[in-house]
Amino acid sequence: MKLDIFSWSEEKSDGFQVGKGRVQILLSGPAALYAEAQGYETLVGYAASFDFETSEALTLRVDVSDKARKIRVFRQRPNGTTTRAEGEVFTNIDRMVDESGSFAEVTQALRQFKIEQRRVLRDLQIERRQLQHERAKLRAAPVEPASAQIEPQSEGAQE
């Protein structure tokens, strides 16, 4: 077992609360450990080390038969697998954990720009095809001669 001294905390031997789940207790000497819940008390065991699981919150008490010797009680509080969010909250699904918020905003703006750029290029291609189609129609259509000649207007004539 690898010992992490910062995960162990000293408790009072006359009673302390533990939550539901795994409980690890180390004593400085062998002693009786009692557990109490909902008004019932039972003996957990007599030893210097305890490792057990509970189905509900309990109050544990260490009973030393010889009052002359002092028993120290240590309980392990392992590091949790989750932490409460502080400061920046990571909610962007495509952001890596090590990215900052401003970097993610730049990445998002760049993606929006690329989407807009693709839309504009698509619109330009559609318009180009329409112009080519109209130009092809004009080239294929026969040229009609002018049927009437324009008569020059005299300078003195008014409308």
Side-chain angles (χ1 to χ4, degrees):
M1 172 172 120
K2 186 175 181 181
L3 179 66
D4 179 12
I5 62 170
F6 301 109
S7 67
W8 292 86
S9 62
E10 189 166 6
E11 302 287 343
K12 294 182 180 178
S13 61
D14 58 345
F16 56 95
Q17 299 284 328
V18 294
K20 176 182 175 180
R22 186 173 181 197
V23 179
Q24 289 181 291
I25 306 287
L26 288 178
L27 305 176
S28 60
L33 178 66
Y34 293 94
E36 179 185 348
Q38 301 179 12
Y40 293 96
E41 186 175 57
T42 186
L43 176 67
V44 176
Y46 183 86
S49 172
F50 297 93
D51 187 0
F52 58 94
E53 295 220 11
T54 65
S55 59
E56 61 182 279
L58 301 174
T59 301
L60 298 177
R61 179 178 60 87
V62 177
D63 186 29
V64 181
S65 57
D66 184 12
K67 299 293 182 187
R69 69 182 179 140
K70 174 78 173 145
I71 298 288
R72 293 178 68 188
V73 180
F74 295 91
R75 175 172 60 147
Q76 186 180 30
R77 296 180 192 243
N79 296 332
T81 57
T82 60
T83 59
R84 173 172 240 117
E86 294 178 4
E88 185 176 359
V89 179
F90 298 100
T91 58
N92 193 349
I93 195 165
D94 61 348
R95 180 171 57 184
M96 299 299 287
V97 176
D98 57 340
E99 290 181 6
S100 68
S102 58
F103 184 79
E105 287 177 17
V106 169
T107 303
Q108 183 180 11
L110 185 60
R111 286 181 183 159
Q112 290 292 358
F113 172 73
K114 286 181 180 180
I115 290 170
E116 182 69 20
Q117 187 179 30
R118 287 184 195 133
R119 188 187 61 75
V120 168
L121 286 174
R122 190 177 332 113
D123 292 346
L124 286 173
Q125 288 173 351
I126 291 170
E127 190 174 335
R128 182 173 173 249
R129 280 190 224 122
Q130 288 174 349
L131 288 173
Q132 285 176 342
H133 185 66
E134 288 177 18
R135 189 180 303 154
K137 277 184 180 180
L138 289 175
R139 286 184 185 164
V143 178
E144 297 180 15
S147 59
Q149 289 191 357
I150 303 174
E151 296 178 16
Q153 225 177 11
S154 63
E155 293 179 12
Q158 294 183 354
E159 295 179 30

